[in-house]
Amino acid sequence: MTMMSSAECVVARVRAAFTDTTEPNVPSRHPRQDVLGKISRTVVSRTRQPLRGTGESGRIGVAPGAVEEHIMNDDTTTLPAGADDDRQEEHPQPSDRIRALDRLVGTWTVTGGAEGTVRYEWMPGGHFLIQHVELEQFGRSVTGFEVIGHLHPFGEPVGEEIASRFYDSMGNTFDYVYELENDTLTIWAGAHGSPAYFRGTFTDRDHTMTGDWVYPGGGGYTSTMTRQ
C-alpha cells in the first residue's frame, strides 16, 4: 500500500474542497480545475525538498506547518544585491587639512610669554583635534581645552576653514582659525586674516616649534614648544 506524503494529503483536501461531487460531468477545463491545478503544482514543487537534518539525500518530506506557510505567505520579493549596503550612509573621512595637524599630537613644554604644558590628541573619528592647556601667563593660571576642526552645523555643508574654540576654567571662550602651510602654522585670533595671530615654524623633525604671538598695537611675545 502506498503512503501519501503530507503535501499530497493537502492537495487531496484542496481538490475535495474545489470539486463538486454532485456534478460528476464537470468539464476538465472548468475554471475551478484551473485554480486547483495551480495550487497542486505550487504545493508539490515547494514541498518536495529534502528534510533538514535527516541525513537522507533526496527524501521527500515537509516540515510541520511548511505547507500552510507557503500557501498563506507567498512573498518571493527579494532585494537587489548590495541594497542593504546602500541603506547605510558611508562614514565620512577626515579632510586632508585636519589630518595635516597630526604633527601637533603629543605633549609639549611651552616657554616664553606663557609657560607650562599643552597636550594634543585626536577625538575618536579623527575629525577634531583636542588641545589640553595648563599654562601660567602674567602671573595667572590658564587652564582649559580647545576643540579644533571643520565646522559642520546640522543640515549644512562642512566648512572649508579649520576653526577652533577654546574654553577656559573662568568661563571664557576664544575662537581661532588654524592654517598650516608646509612647516609654518598660523593661528588666527577670531577670523582668518585677523591682525592678532600666532605664526610659528616646525623644526628639528617636528620636535620644536618656535614663533610669535602678534597683537595689534604691540604687546606680543615669542613662544616655543618643545616635544616631551
Side-chain angles (χ1 to χ4, degrees):
M1 180 177 181
T2 303
M3 299 296 295
M4 297 179 65
S5 67
S6 299
E8 292 168 339
C9 290
V10 172
V11 171
R13 293 175 183 176
V14 175
R15 185 183 298 276
F18 277 83
T19 302
D20 187 351
T21 57
T22 62
E23 298 179 11
N25 295 322
V26 175
S28 59
R29 299 306 299 171
H30 192 281
R32 289 182 296 179
Q33 298 297 327
D34 291 338
V35 174
L36 177 59
K38 291 180 181 180
I39 295 178
S40 300
R41 289 192 296 273
T42 300
V43 173
V44 173
S45 63
R46 293 192 177 185
T47 57
R48 290 192 176 181
Q49 300 176 2
L51 283 175
R52 296 181 181 179
T54 62
E56 299 181 20
S57 176
R59 175 180 174 184
I60 297 177
V62 60
V67 175
E68 290 80 1
E69 180 180 357
H70 280 301
I71 295 176
M72 298 301 294
N73 183 16
D74 188 19
D75 185 4
T76 58
T77 303
T78 57
L79 293 175
D84 289 340
D85 296 336
D86 294 339
R87 294 177 182 179
Q88 298 178 359
E89 183 178 357
E90 183 179 356
H91 184 70
Q93 297 301 310
S95 72
D96 291 338
R97 295 182 65 182
I98 187 64
R99 290 171 64 89
L101 296 182
D102 188 65
R103 301 168 72 175
L104 289 169
V105 171
T107 302
W108 303 77
T109 298
V110 180
T111 58
E115 298 191 349
T117 61
V118 297
R119 177 171 57 88
Y120 291 87
E121 64 178 349
W122 287 111
M123 182 177 176
H127 293 276
F128 297 97
L129 188 63
I130 311 298
Q131 179 186 197
H132 303 271
V133 175
E134 294 284 347
L135 297 174
E136 292 286 336
Q137 185 177 28
F138 308 131
R140 300 182 62 180
S141 175
V142 180
T143 302
F145 69 91
E146 181 181 22
V147 181
I148 307 162
H150 293 281
L151 296 180
H152 189 189
F154 180 76
E156 298 182 17
V158 179
E160 290 292 331
E161 297 179 337
I162 303 296
S164 79
R165 175 163 290 181
F166 177 76
Y167 304 81
D168 72 10
S169 58
M170 301 297 292
N172 300 304
T173 62
F174 301 90
D175 294 338
Y176 301 93
V177 174
Y178 278 63
E179 184 178 30
L180 178 62
E181 293 184 1
N182 299 319
D183 293 331
T184 301
L185 176 66
T186 303
I187 304 175
W188 304 97
H192 185 277
S194 166
Y197 61 89
F198 168 83
R199 180 168 290 141
T201 303
F202 284 102
T203 59
D204 191 22
R205 298 182 180 180
D206 291 354
H207 279 74
T208 304
M209 172 177 282
T210 301
D212 297 283
W213 277 101
V214 177
Y215 298 146
Y221 59 89
T222 297
S223 180
T224 299
M225 296 198 313
T226 304
R227 191 182 296 277
Q228 293 185 2

